[in-house]
Amino acid sequence: MTAASRQDAAVARTGIATSALVPSANAGSPEETRGGSAVRGMSAPAAANGPTRGAPRSLLDIEGLGRDGIVEVLRLAESFAEVARRPIPKVPALRGRTVVSLFFEDSTRTRLSFETAAKRLSADVMSFQASASSIKKGESLRDTALTIQAMGVDAIVVRHPSAGAPARVASWVDVPVVNAGDGWHAHPTQALADCFALCGALGRPLDGGAEMLAGIKAVIVGDIRHSRVARSVTQAFSLLGAAVTLAAPRSLLPPAPETWPVAEVSHDLDDALRGADVVYVLRLQAERGAGAYVPSLREYSARYGITAARASSLAPEVRIMHPGPMVRGVEISSEAADLDRCLVDDQVRAGIAVRMAVLFLLLSSGDGASGAELGGHD
Amino acid sequence: MAERERRLTPPGRGVFVPRAEVMSAEDVRRVLTRIAHEIVERNHGLDNLVLVGLQTGGEPFARHLCALLEEIGGVAVPLGTLDVAFYRDDIGLRPVLPQAPTTIPGDLSGAVVILVDDVLFTGRTIRAALNALADFGRPRAVQLAVIVDRGHREVPIRPDYVGKNLPTSRNEMVDATVSGVVLGNMVAR
């Protein structure tokens, strides 16, 4: 008997249609009906052959997560956003687990956000910064990762200036790895937070029934070439149904923008902003040498910045987003950054909820139903 | 057997085969009416009461009780819902995901909270619910109303209001909804 016919039996018995609660109509295989489908969506290196029991699942990029995985994370994040509004914004879900943040690159908001998320789940947090570690003495990434694993951690959050480093770490260790930004490659939790914040601001329900950002035109403007956030956000927005436009000078576009899942590539911001519902502003990444790609900051700001004049010419319902840190006066003016429809604070709040959801999904899944006793939990 | 159990019961482990209807929809309605009167009697009115339905099985019963209490007492009792997924003690043993929203009406400090659930079995859900409530304030008292008490407690939890005491064996399943209570078994495929 398939899962679908089991549901039919339930409907027949109670007279209440429960089929709407079934995750998917083709929930045939045991793997798919274990409840944690986002965990399934997250990449499991050992999943290719046979059962995934005991295999660590990791969140490395948006592609590995897929649309269903995004929806699962966002739905769970809604529960955690509710937790954040409680008098005591903390739940004991991951008591006794240890999450380590392994940061080889400067970061304040992402590290604080991950650590806050872990603490609100009652997990213990260890913090590692390359600048204050044995990396300085010449220890390799692999040895550092294995040393940290040997200390008995349950998940590793990795940020690294080189693309692919979190995936390498995931291949060496037996615990889940979360990519907190690697080089120009990906920053999946930022993209998930932005989807959550945008759906909230637009009043789009997170039920996953329809594509949540369908009919939305999103303009991503700025230093797309050097931005892992742009890569992840573009993928996530388009997977959820939004039409994405990239707007940047030629020098700040990636080598092959036509291979990205975008509707349009533009070199004229004002033209791109016509009919936009949200404009996503990226920082000019001076530390990755982006300053050399534009003639001058003043010219860049005038042509591609969200100036006060440009912000006031936008329709009042157009949302402005920025992953932070903002450099006021360059890519966004102070007036625009302080507008109510600038969602920066919402994005930060969403970041905590989404990272709680990711950590919970990766750490709570156990090995499916193996330890469960049927009916033994009412 | 709430929706949670329905969804999380792996199909590989069997299917629910109903064996006997223990209570009809009419029986359930009468039981809810009695429990509503017992709540008013025991608390000398409806002052400071807050109803909290456990997601997902208890929530419809809490909604019905709320309507009945308003009929009897003439005042609207605040109604909340609680999903205890993050407080369970079996996280990591099996997939535990919240199924429905938690909405607690305001600070619970000083209130008399009546938890409402469909089936009381091991008591572990209620144990988790008590921990969860503590994060919303310090209720003056917490009382427990269940439609079916089927025994087999694993923690020292007892109900204050019981619709029906139903002796069961551990491997039976009880499915309680507002349209009736059905006793059945999980049968291997």
Side-chain angles (χ1 to χ4, degrees):
Chain A
M1 198 183 217
T2 65
S5 56
R6 187 169 58 90
Q7 281 296 329
D8 291 341
V11 173
R13 189 170 75 254
T14 61
I16 300 168
T18 54
S19 51
L21 293 158
V22 182
S24 62
N26 60 346
S29 77
E31 181 65 19
E32 279 184 306
T33 48
R34 283 197 334 203
S37 59
V39 176
R40 171 173 48 90
M42 294 183 190
S43 73
N49 308 311
T52 58
R53 177 170 302 180
R57 299 165 180 87
S58 294
L59 174 60
L60 300 175
D61 51 28
I62 292 293
E63 285 147 312
L65 192 59
R67 185 179 170 275
D68 291 349
I70 295 173
V71 170
E72 189 84 29
V73 170
L74 296 187
R75 284 185 56 182
L76 184 59
E78 203 167 29
S79 295
F80 286 116
E82 182 271 318
V83 168
R85 293 191 292 268
R86 294 181 184 180
I88 299 176
K90 185 167 179 168
V91 291
L94 295 183
R95 224 157 31 124
R97 310 299 186 88
T98 303
V99 175
V100 63
S101 60
L102 186 55
F103 276 58
F104 295 92
E105 194 181 79
D106 291 340
S107 158
T108 40
R109 73 199 63 227
T110 304
R111 191 163 56 82
L112 276 178
S113 182
F114 265 109
E115 293 181 1
T116 304
K119 284 174 179 173
R120 286 191 175 170
L121 290 165
S122 302
D124 295 315
V125 177
M126 290 200 299
S127 186
F128 173 100
Q129 270 172 303
S131 54
S133 74
S134 292
I135 297 288
K136 289 247 163 199
K137 300 174 190 162
E139 190 176 47
S140 72
L141 176 61
R142 183 167 192 268
D143 289 334
T144 304
L146 291 177
T147 302
I148 284 171
Q149 174 175 246
M151 289 176 185
V153 303
D154 297 288
I156 303 180
V157 177
V158 182
R159 163 163 292 191
H160 200 283
S162 300
R168 291 295 282 152
V169 172
S171 71
W172 293 322
V173 300
D174 300 328
V175 297
V177 172
V178 183
N179 182 0
D182 58 337
W184 299 358
H185 171 224
H187 194 351
T189 55
Q190 177 70 46
L192 290 167
D194 296 336
C195 292
F196 188 83
L198 185 56
C199 286
L202 297 172
R204 297 290 177 104
L206 298 174
D207 55 16
E211 289 184 322
M212 287 181 259
L213 295 177
I216 294 295
K217 179 181 176 186
V219 176
I220 299 181
V221 58
D223 182 3
I224 295 162
R225 182 185 189 92
H226 299 102
S227 175
R228 55 191 169 219
V229 172
R231 281 168 179 76
S232 289
V233 166
T234 302
Q235 284 169 359
F237 279 10
S238 70
L239 278 171
L240 295 183
V244 179
T245 298
L246 302 181
R250 276 175 216 282
S251 58
L252 290 178
L253 279 172
E258 67 280 0
T259 61
W260 288 33
V262 295
E264 190 192 351
V265 178
S266 170
H267 307 298
D268 182 340
L269 178 57
D270 293 307
D271 188 44
L273 284 177
R274 231 160 272 141
D277 298 286
V278 55
V279 50
Y280 194 104
V281 189
L282 297 165
R283 186 172 58 93
L284 203 58
Q285 304 219 5
E287 78 275 20
R288 298 189 208 282
Y293 288 78
V294 294
S296 78
L297 285 185
R298 266 183 65 190
E299 184 184 332
Y300 175 79
S301 184
R303 290 195 59 193
Y304 293 100
I306 303 299
T307 57
R310 207 165 257 141
S312 57
S313 73
L314 292 172
E317 68 278 3
V318 178
R319 305 311 204 280
I320 300 171
M321 302 180 83
H322 193 301
M326 289 192 283
V327 185
R328 293 180 183 229
V330 179
E331 74 271 8
I332 188 165
S333 68
S334 217
E335 292 85 349
D338 292 333
L339 290 172
D340 282 343
R341 55 205 163 91
C342 184
L343 304 181
V344 170
D345 291 346
D346 295 345
Q347 289 170 266
V348 174
R349 267 190 294 276
I352 293 176
V354 159
R355 291 179 177 109
M356 287 174 82
V358 167
L359 290 174
F360 183 82
L361 282 170
L362 290 176
L363 285 170
S364 72
S365 57
D367 52 358
S370 65
E373 201 181 314
L374 271 188
H377 40 262
D378 238 310
Chain B
M1 187 169 67
E3 296 299 338
R4 177 197 304 283
E5 279 68 38
R6 255 191 220 112
R7 281 189 64 190
L8 294 184
T9 301
R13 310 231 351 172
V15 289
F16 180 77
V17 175
R19 208 178 61 230
E21 187 186 74
V22 187
M23 293 168 80
S24 66
E26 184 67 9
D27 293 333
V28 172
R29 202 186 54 74
R30 272 194 284 268
V31 148
L32 284 170
T33 309
R34 169 170 59 77
I35 291 177
H37 281 281
E38 285 177 0
I39 289 172
V40 178
E41 182 188 12
R42 177 155 168 178
N43 295 289
H44 311 289
L46 297 175
D47 291 349
N48 272 333
L49 285 193
V50 176
L51 279 174
V52 174
L54 292 184
Q55 295 284 19
T56 54
E59 189 271 337
F61 294 111
R63 226 171 337 109
H64 277 75
L65 270 180
C66 188
L68 288 166
L69 285 174
E70 183 163 3
E71 233 169 72
I72 297 164
V75 284
V77 177
L79 174 66
T81 58
L82 183 62
D83 189 300
V84 302
F86 302 136
Y87 295 83
R88 299 199 64 95
D89 54 10
D90 47 3
I91 290 172
L93 297 178
R94 53 193 212 91
V96 174
L97 285 176
Q99 303 296 313
T102 293
T103 51
I104 297 290
D107 188 358
L108 295 180
S109 296
V112 175
V113 175
I114 299 177
L115 286 175
V116 183
D117 204 0
D118 52 352
V119 180
L120 180 59
F121 183 21
T122 62
R124 287 178 189 267
T125 300
I126 306 301
R127 196 281 310 157
L130 291 174
N131 282 21
L133 283 182
D135 285 353
F136 290 94
R138 182 182 181 278
R140 190 167 66 72
V142 180
Q143 300 170 0
L144 173 61
V146 296
I147 305 308
V148 173
D149 179 356
R150 57 170 295 195
H152 305 285
R153 218 77 78 236
E154 294 171 3
V155 283
I157 299 275
R158 59 145 183 78
D160 299 272
Y161 313 98
V162 183
K164 186 179 180 67
N165 281 298
L166 183 64
T168 58
S169 74
R170 275 199 74 98
N171 53 16
E172 282 173 314
M173 289 283 240
V174 179
D175 184 21
T177 65
V178 287
S179 41
V181 176
V182 178
L183 185 64
N185 287 85
M186 294 306 292
V187 175
R189 295 191 293 169

